[in-house]
Amino acid sequence: MLEGKIAIITGGAQGIGAAIAKRYLHDGARVMIGDTNQQRGEATLRELAAIGDARFMAADVSSRLDVHNLVAATVEAFGDVDILVNNAGVVHAADFLDLAEEDFDRVLRINLKGPFLCSQAVARHMVERVRNGGVPGSIINMSSINAVVAIPDQVPYSVSKGGIAQLTRVLALSLAEYGIRVNAIGPGSIRTDMLEDVLSDPAAKERMLSRTPLGRAGDPAEIAAIAAFLASDDASYITGQTIFADGGRLPLNYMVPVNT
């Protein structure tokens, strides 16, 4: 699906980002992963190198200089950028009344400002290529069901994902004249390291499953499959959309039986 394409995946050292990198490599793309966790990133790169042509660069998406360097390193290594996946993100749990300003700022800086900076840097490259007769590219933002619903002790995370939903729409309209598509993926409960604490707690796991009609957590590979589709020519007429992969949670307005 992605033969010959070149992708940047932020937050690619683990979880959903690493799964997307693996899927892209299997589909024929070359991949640059960026992450602040250098040790984890280098370990993931060793796994990815067995699949295809991948690189890693330590980068903080909330830093304009790091973003510039990440894009420049990708172009230097591969010659171009066709796909950007804005996957890097953090969470911070705190009661609203106790939430510190610096923690609110940190989450918004990474989860919302980061995708803005990365998208702007990559889009400038893509627009120049289109103006010179080249083909447009695709930008994919990682949203969440929390762009629609909310968790009381996840104030900055929920706010940042609501912002991602609107950023996706605005960028899609801004870049449509160049044929650059911008979409988002909104995962529900996905089996990553972040979810392991929930899955290891029987009561917490039952609460999660009671609001998930399909009766299970999702797998990162299932999100990666959507990212592959959105980056491919099969999605050539889709832009400004968020695809929610949540096991049926968002339409639900009641609890479902849980088989444990």
Side-chain angles (χ1 to χ4, degrees):
M1 292 174 66
L2 303 177
E3 190 67 39
K5 300 292 186 182
I6 297 155
I8 296 174
I9 302 169
T10 68
Q14 58 190 318
I16 290 173
I20 293 173
K22 291 176 184 177
R23 175 59 187 259
Y24 279 12
L25 289 169
H26 278 299
D27 283 357
R30 290 175 285 173
V31 171
M32 171 72 79
I33 58 172
D35 205 290
T36 56
N37 189 333
Q38 182 153 353
Q39 183 176 2
R40 189 71 178 263
E42 291 173 352
T44 298
L45 180 61
R46 288 191 289 272
E47 297 177 19
L48 297 177
I51 303 171
D53 193 353
R55 311 290 169 88
F56 166 74
M57 182 173 180
D60 176 359
V61 297
S62 68
S63 164
R64 184 176 61 85
L65 180 58
D66 277 18
V67 169
H68 170 81
N69 290 339
L70 179 64
V71 176
T74 304
V75 173
E76 182 178 354
F78 299 128
D80 218 334
V81 183
D82 300 294
I83 305 160
L84 167 66
V85 181
N86 285 310
N87 175 71
V90 295
V91 298
H92 180 81
D95 183 82
F96 171 67
L97 298 178
D98 300 323
L99 178 63
E101 179 182 358
E102 56 267 28
D103 291 320
F104 183 90
D105 288 346
R106 179 176 60 89
V107 174
L108 268 291
R109 192 170 62 247
I110 295 168
N111 292 12
L112 189 54
K113 180 184 176 182
F116 160 73
L117 291 174
C118 291
S119 296
Q120 187 180 63
V122 169
R124 284 172 173 164
H125 175 84
M126 290 178 176
V127 166
E128 182 179 359
R129 183 175 66 196
V130 170
R131 286 173 173 166
N132 290 326
V135 298
S138 175
I139 297 173
I140 300 167
N141 295 322
M142 195 57 62
S143 184
S144 166
I145 58 169
N146 291 289
V148 180
V149 298
I151 302 174
D153 67 352
Q154 290 285 354
V155 177
Y157 181 80
S158 297
V159 170
S160 71
K161 294 307 181 181
I164 285 293
Q166 197 67 348
L167 181 67
T168 299
R169 298 184 188 104
V170 172
L171 294 184
L173 297 179
S174 299
L175 299 172
E177 65 176 295
Y178 305 103
I180 299 168
R181 298 181 298 104
V182 185
N183 293 289
I185 305 171
S189 299
I190 306 300
R191 191 179 288 274
T192 62
D193 291 347
M194 193 181 299
L195 194 67
E196 285 306 315
D197 289 342
V198 173
L199 296 176
S200 62
D201 180 337
K205 180 179 179 181
E206 182 165 353
R207 282 195 304 272
M208 182 200 77
L209 293 178
S210 71
R211 61 194 185 201
T212 308
L214 286 184
R216 63 176 177 85
D219 189 87
E222 294 176 294
I223 305 303
I226 300 171
F229 165 69
L230 288 175
S232 75
D233 291 341
D234 286 345
S236 57
Y237 201 53
I238 300 175
T239 194
Q241 305 301 312
T242 299
I243 297 178
F244 290 100
D246 64 356
R249 178 176 173 182
L250 283 181
L252 188 67
N253 67 353
Y254 54 89
M255 309 295 271
V256 297
V258 175
N259 296 318
T260 57

